[in-house]
Amino acid sequence: MAGADPQALKDTILAAIDAADNPDALETVRIESLGKKGELTMAMKSLGQLDGDARRDMGQALNAVKDAVTQALDARRSALAMAELNRRLASETVDVSLTPRPETAGVIHPLSRTLEDILAIFAEMGFVVAEGPDIESDYYNFTALNMPEDHPARQEHDTFYMTPDADGQRKVLRTHTSPVQIRTMENMQPPIRIIAPGRTYRSDHDATHSPMFHQCEGLVIGDGITMAHLKGCLIEFCRAFFNVDDLPVRFRPSYFPFTEPSAEVDIGCSRDGGGLTIGAGADWLEILGCGMVNPRVLEYCNIDPNEHQGFAFGMGLERLAMLKYGIPDLRPFYDSDLRWMRHYGFMPFDAPSVHLGLS
Ligand code: DAH
């Protein structure tokens, strides 16, 4: 090694440093040149074999090579670190010009939401959902509900009649969800606790009436069911639905052919200051009809009124939706206007639950 050629040594090492394209390769070059047994280290160790001027000249030359190699190593290390950083920055960039991830576009219609609210409350009370057909027989829609053919209450229903079938029977578009009561009692033994939502139809069209609308019916049949159960159940419902714990609820005597006695339920409200506030106040709002199931209706369904009694109730979903969610006009409910839907609609993942409060 005494005859080392500093220039050749330097060229070889600097070329190796240049060629190292990652930190590990660079470290190998460092160890092979400046390490304990590195080429340069060995050359310096062998200086002792030279004498006098030759030793001094070679010593200076090798020191210069060492400085150059050290500098080149540092420079290459920084360059590699910078390249690595740039590579990572490039791979982790966020393209701010991309369109945002699409938000869920659909919303829940206020009527669906209202129904979900109602079902959440009655489900908690142990009711199950029952359904019936929109096209109903005269018998289920009227007769079995204690409205025989000549009953004056039939006139109030503005019924849509279908064309008569072969045997002269005219089916109707059901004018209320009450026929589901009859179908349920025909098919189920007491105890019965059902809630029956669905579409209903009457030939009526103005700012507060639509020829197609929605109702929700309730029916409870059991032993020893009294008006007290009806009141407790519906007061609880009203307070949960409007999420007002001390909501005043009033039962006003009324008439329905299928219940006896019958009542209409009003809730307290205030119209102070122009707006409508649900809760204690000077005014009342009618929100549903109810009563003890008429014994004649039970008889139509072969249920012995001396053994079983019950109560029923019916409510209009549009009216409840308008009151609860402050929707002033009925007509846009069926217009499929996206602007209206986005304003009054509900987020799909925001499902109602009684314990979270239903407002
Ligand atoms: N069917 C009635 C209507 O359409 C509402 C109703 C009132 C239903 C009293 C009932 C009830 O079950 O008991 O106006």
Side-chain angles (χ1 to χ4, degrees):
M1 198 52 79
D5 176 349
Q7 188 58 45
L9 198 54
K10 180 175 158 188
D11 290 348
T12 320
I13 298 174
L14 292 187
I17 291 174
D18 253 0
D21 59 0
N22 64 68
D24 287 346
L26 189 64
E27 180 62 4
T28 305
V29 177
R30 188 193 67 78
I31 291 167
E32 284 173 356
S33 53
L34 296 180
K36 259 192 203 160
K37 290 186 179 152
E39 270 180 297
L40 201 51
T41 313
M42 297 309 271
M44 289 176 123
K45 276 188 181 162
S46 63
L47 277 176
Q49 295 166 15
L50 299 175
D51 1 81
D53 289 351
R55 178 151 111 199
R56 191 198 62 217
D57 292 348
M58 183 59 92
Q60 282 176 352
L62 290 177
N63 269 330
V65 172
K66 189 180 175 185
D67 288 347
V69 166
T70 308
Q71 269 182 28
L73 281 171
D74 287 348
R76 186 76 188 140
R77 204 173 287 120
S78 311
L80 286 174
M82 185 60 78
E84 168 65 9
L85 182 63
N86 284 336
R87 192 192 60 73
R88 275 187 48 202
L89 286 175
S91 72
E92 290 171 12
T93 47
V94 174
D95 183 350
V96 291
S97 68
L98 284 178
T99 48
R101 195 185 323 198
E103 289 293 320
T104 325
V107 289
I108 302 293
H109 194 286
L111 270 181
S112 305
R113 171 63 177 226
T114 301
L115 181 56
E116 284 172 10
D117 290 345
I118 293 171
L119 295 183
I121 298 167
F122 285 109
E124 191 121 310
M125 296 186 196
F127 283 69
V128 294
V129 172
E131 283 179 315
D134 287 21
I135 298 175
E136 191 51 284
S137 71
D138 188 281
Y139 177 80
Y140 286 115
N141 196 79
F142 295 119
T143 311
L145 287 161
N146 194 30
M147 280 184 271
E149 222 141 89
D150 52 355
H151 200 286
R154 282 194 177 209
Q155 263 76 66
E156 288 168 26
H157 278 220
D158 302 309
T159 312
F160 285 115
Y161 288 94
M162 310 295 286
T163 42
D165 50 24
D167 54 9
Q169 295 290 315
R170 283 192 308 176
K171 290 220 155 117
V172 301
L173 290 183
R174 66 177 176 192
T175 56
H176 50 178
T177 42
S178 302
V180 184
Q181 290 187 30
I182 307 299
R183 291 179 173 275
T184 304
M185 287 188 277
E186 281 183 351
N187 292 310
M188 239 176 130
Q189 288 304 307
I192 294 172
R193 224 184 287 178
I194 57 119
I195 195 90
R199 292 199 176 106
T200 46
Y201 308 83
R202 290 186 200 184
S203 180
D204 209 352
H205 200 190
D206 58 36
T208 51
H209 294 92
S210 150
M212 188 279 296
F213 56 105
H214 298 77
Q215 286 191 345
C216 191
E217 194 81 12
L219 176 71
V220 173
I221 305 285
D223 296 347
I225 301 283
T226 71
M227 194 90 183
H229 297 112
L230 175 156
K231 288 185 71 178
C233 173
L234 293 180
I235 291 172
E236 182 60 30
F237 164 73
C238 294
R239 293 184 173 162
F241 180 78
F242 290 102
N243 207 17
V244 178
D245 287 346
D246 59 353
L247 179 67
V249 179
R250 173 173 89 170
F251 290 77
R252 186 167 32 77
S254 184
Y255 171 77
F256 300 103
F258 32 90
T259 46
E260 182 60 36
S262 303
E264 276 168 309
V265 175
D266 299 338
I267 54 168
C269 68
S270 147
R271 289 196 172 81
D272 288 350
L276 176 72
T277 311
I278 309 278
D283 275 323
W284 296 96
L285 271 173
E286 181 204 319
I287 60 154
L288 58 87
C290 62
M292 300 306 292
V293 177
N294 192 316
R296 300 180 71 155
V297 172
L298 294 175
E299 279 164 2
Y300 270 112
C301 304
N302 292 319
I303 292 179
D304 182 352
N306 296 314
E307 257 184 66
H308 303 292
Q309 309 74 36
F311 64 86
F313 53 91
M315 52 191 121
L317 294 189
E318 280 80 356
R319 185 172 165 77
L320 287 176
M322 289 167 82
L323 289 173
K324 179 164 179 181
Y325 296 117
I327 305 173
D329 191 349
L330 175 73
R331 286 165 292 197
F333 272 77
Y334 320 103
D335 283 349
S336 303
D337 183 332
L338 279 177
R339 293 162 304 177
W340 184 87
M341 277 296 287
R342 292 202 179 105
H343 184 77
Y344 288 111
F346 293 85
M347 297 308 292
F349 300 117
D350 182 16
S353 77
V354 176
H355 70 278
L356 293 178
L358 287 171
S359 66

